[in-house]
Amino acid sequence: MKLLYPSSLVLDTKELEGFAATLHPYDVKKPLPEDVIDAEVLVTWSNSAENLNDAAKRMTNLKWIQSLAAGPNDVLNAGFDSKKIIVTTGSGLHDLTVAEHALGMLLDGARRFFEMRDYQTQGKWPGHLGGPQPDRPRGKFTTLRDANVTIWGFGNIAKALAPWLTSLGANVKGLARSSGVRNGVEVYGDDKIDEILATTDALVMILPGAVSTNNALNAARLKTLPKHAWVINVGRGTAIDEDALVEALESGEIGGAALDVFVKEPLPESSKLYKAPNCIISPHAAGGRPQGAEELIAFNLRKFMAGQELRNVI
């Protein structure tokens, strides 16, 4: 059995040794060499569309694809035969890095580091941001302490983020398809969305990409948020109506937005989001650093060879 692993990521292949499989690195930007095209297992990470399309056509012996991405849309769109090939995701490998990025965005919005930087580049002193300031003023998002932070999409990333927010004094609630208590956080169902948004100081969106989540945050729901509320998105860009968001920012309907994901990436230069007031643009930088990839590959390889169910199967 041959297992192909990507050279786009530094992997400790010693953790993958000892199985009845030979390990072969490959270039994710080039067509696969002929001598490995008969591999049964393909591990993917940041592969080009051309590489995956070529693999889908030529790897006729392929049985299992282990993507290291949380949402392997590149693999799913490449043309692999889903009836014959198992596809597993890298869900869980990006929880801490994305949660950390979301926390940074929240602090940036609350303490207005982005505005300080804007003044610095102009050689100006932002005196209005320094000196004596009111403590937790009503109708403003200036701190996480006592802030109502809502996490929309309460999966593994949310479970990593919530304790950090709580430790900083935030009141954390969750929104998901089904209600309940998860890791000590009260999570509300879809029927409570508008009610929860109405009292939210900062909304962290970690929704997956799906037809059901397209434009989940639309013009009507943006109007439901308090005028000082910030929107953070580290899930999928399609979950927000970008035109409605620009309008909300320009009209002062919400306090600000910090976005790491967009409907189209790279974000076109013509996008109004670049110049929208109080809008922080992050170039899909929250993840990109899978942690524990070797353990996941080894676990699934063991299961695969034993004919057992793999983890994170789509």
Side-chain angles (χ1 to χ4, degrees):
M1 180 182 295
K2 292 180 181 177
L3 180 150
L4 308 188
Y5 65 91
S7 58
S8 54
L9 181 72
V10 177
L11 289 172
D12 183 1
T13 56
K14 290 183 179 179
E15 294 196 32
L16 306 179
E17 296 174 354
F19 295 96
T22 56
L23 308 177
H24 306 266
Y26 72 97
D27 190 328
V28 299
K29 305 301 182 185
K30 297 179 180 179
L32 292 171
E34 195 62 38
D35 61 338
V36 296
I37 206 67
D38 60 341
E40 292 89 346
V41 183
L42 178 68
V43 180
T44 66
W45 175 247
S46 68
N47 297 55
S48 68
E50 293 76 14
N51 170 274
L52 290 175
N53 290 337
D54 175 73
K57 294 174 183 176
R58 298 170 56 219
M59 296 189 74
T60 57
N61 198 39
L62 189 62
K63 302 294 190 301
W64 163 41
I65 299 173
Q66 172 66 68
S67 171
L68 300 183
N73 294 331
D74 55 351
V75 170
L76 299 178
N77 295 331
F80 291 101
D81 189 344
S82 59
K83 295 181 180 179
K84 298 180 180 179
I85 301 170
I86 302 170
V87 178
T88 52
T89 77
S91 177
L93 302 182
H94 306 272
D95 296 350
L96 294 177
T97 57
V98 176
E100 184 177 70
H101 204 82
L103 177 60
M105 287 179 142
L106 283 164
L107 290 171
D108 195 356
R111 304 311 296 263
R112 304 191 72 82
F113 299 134
F114 68 96
E115 187 176 354
M116 296 177 190
R117 178 64 178 175
D118 288 345
Y119 272 77
Q120 180 182 337
T121 59
Q122 300 174 56
K124 295 180 180 180
W125 180 261
H128 64 291
L129 297 176
Q133 300 284 333
D135 178 32
R136 287 162 288 171
R138 292 180 62 85
K140 287 188 177 182
F141 176 53
T142 62
T143 177
L144 286 173
R145 187 180 177 194
D146 294 331
N148 293 324
V149 180
T150 300
I151 304 177
W152 194 355
F154 211 90
N156 291 332
I157 296 171
K159 291 174 184 177
L161 175 62
W164 298 346
L165 297 175
T166 302
S167 71
L168 291 171
N171 304 312
V172 181
K173 295 179 181 178
L175 285 171
R177 284 176 295 182
S178 58
S179 60
V181 177
R182 305 184 193 177
N183 288 47
V185 176
E186 189 73 39
V187 178
Y188 297 84
D190 290 344
D191 59 324
K192 298 289 186 180
I193 290 177
D194 290 346
E195 179 182 329
I196 299 300
L197 292 185
T199 60
T200 293
D201 297 310
L203 173 64
V204 181
M205 301 188 65
I206 321 179
L207 290 170
V211 174
S212 61
T213 63
N214 282 350
N215 291 334
L217 187 63
N218 53 26
R221 283 177 173 157
L222 282 164
K223 287 182 172 64
T224 303
L225 288 166
K227 290 187 178 297
H228 65 273
W230 270 70
V231 174
I232 314 297
N233 192 9
V234 292
R236 287 293 180 265
T238 52
I240 295 180
D241 182 336
E242 291 182 349
D243 291 336
L245 179 62
V246 169
E247 186 176 337
L249 289 167
E250 291 179 343
S251 66
E253 204 169 84
I254 62 171
L259 312 171
D260 185 59
V261 288
F262 306 89
V263 173
K264 185 177 181 180
E265 297 180 5
L267 185 65
E269 293 182 8
S270 59
S271 174
K272 293 182 179 180
L273 286 169
Y274 281 116
K275 295 184 179 180
N278 299 323
C279 185
I280 301 168
I281 302 296
S282 169
H284 206 137
R289 306 163 185 82
Q291 298 176 341
E294 297 90 347
E295 290 86 350
L296 177 60
I297 297 169
F299 177 89
N300 271 345
L301 182 57
R302 187 177 297 108
K303 294 288 186 179
F304 178 73
M305 300 188 76
Q308 299 173 351
E309 184 176 352
L310 280 62
R311 181 185 296 169
N312 297 344
V313 174
I314 292 181

